[in-house]
Amino acid sequence: MYVPPAFRLEELPEIHAAMRAARLPSLVTATAERLMATPLPLLLAPEEGPFGTLYGHLARANPQWRTPPLGEAMVLFGGPEAYVTPNWYASKAEHHKVVPTWNYVAVHAHGRAEFFEDPARLHDVVARLTARHEGAAPRPGNWPTRRRPSCGRSCAASSGCGCPSPGWRASAR
């Protein structure tokens, strides 16, 4: 992603905040067959590795977790964005040498994706994702995965992913 120096986010807490604010990033992998992308709620574990680790949950039917990626994965986090009209520039009246632009917050995280099927790890990821999103729901409720009758089957019939691995890098603005 092209990031002009004036807009670059470089501090890890700023980058993490932008990642957390993006409720539905997309996991992108290149495979021998094609590019694959999945909109995927993710959790950031900032304490894991020097830059943190991302965790998500893919349905077993989603072929992305079974198709070996070529090289690194990329996770695209989008934030607030807005069109910027040239009419807002004072210099427009002086010389008319202004162009429209777009202002936005985005993070592209790159690293190795790890897909796993371990039921205990999957249950942990689903429970943490559920807790995060249920707490922010318009009518927050107590929907504990440990009491959900099908949780064992759902978690066992799905795949989790951890990505990017420690050592990932990000471009952010």
Side-chain angles (χ1 to χ4, degrees):
M1 170 172 64
Y2 168 68
V3 182
F7 297 105
R8 188 170 291 133
L9 294 178
E10 294 180 349
E11 299 298 321
L12 196 56
E14 275 186 304
I15 295 170
H16 282 177
M19 293 166 80
R20 283 190 190 99
R23 295 184 46 85
L24 192 64
S26 291
L27 170 66
V28 180
T29 54
T31 71
E33 299 172 21
R34 64 187 181 275
L35 283 174
M36 302 180 93
T38 299
L40 189 66
L42 293 171
L43 293 170
L44 173 64
E47 70 284 353
E48 294 183 26
F51 304 108
T53 299
L54 296 167
Y55 289 98
H57 172 263
L58 294 165
R60 171 135 345 244
N62 184 332
Q64 189 170 14
W65 76 271
R66 288 188 313 274
T67 310
L70 302 174
E72 295 181 323
M74 181 167 57
V75 180
L76 306 173
F77 296 86
E81 47 78 22
Y83 174 76
V84 179
T85 174
N87 293 322
W88 292 344
Y89 295 105
S91 58
K92 180 183 181 237
E94 297 169 26
H95 53 67
H96 297 284
K97 294 180 183 177
V98 294
V99 295
T101 189
W102 212 269
N103 198 4
Y104 57 90
V105 174
V107 176
H108 291 183
H110 306 260
R112 184 184 58 81
E114 172 199 349
F115 297 100
F116 54 86
E117 298 178 80
D118 176 64
R121 284 181 81 189
L122 287 170
H123 186 274
D124 178 63
V125 169
V126 171
R128 289 166 51 200
L129 280 166
T130 300
R132 176 180 182 212
H133 294 288
E134 280 294 312
R139 290 178 33 178
N142 184 10
W143 196 73
T145 55
R146 71 182 181 282
R147 291 199 334 234
R148 205 174 105 222
S150 63
C151 182
R153 290 191 304 275
S154 294
C155 292
S158 58
S159 173
C161 71
C163 59
S165 64
W168 62 273
R169 65 193 187 289
S171 53
R173 72 168 272 162

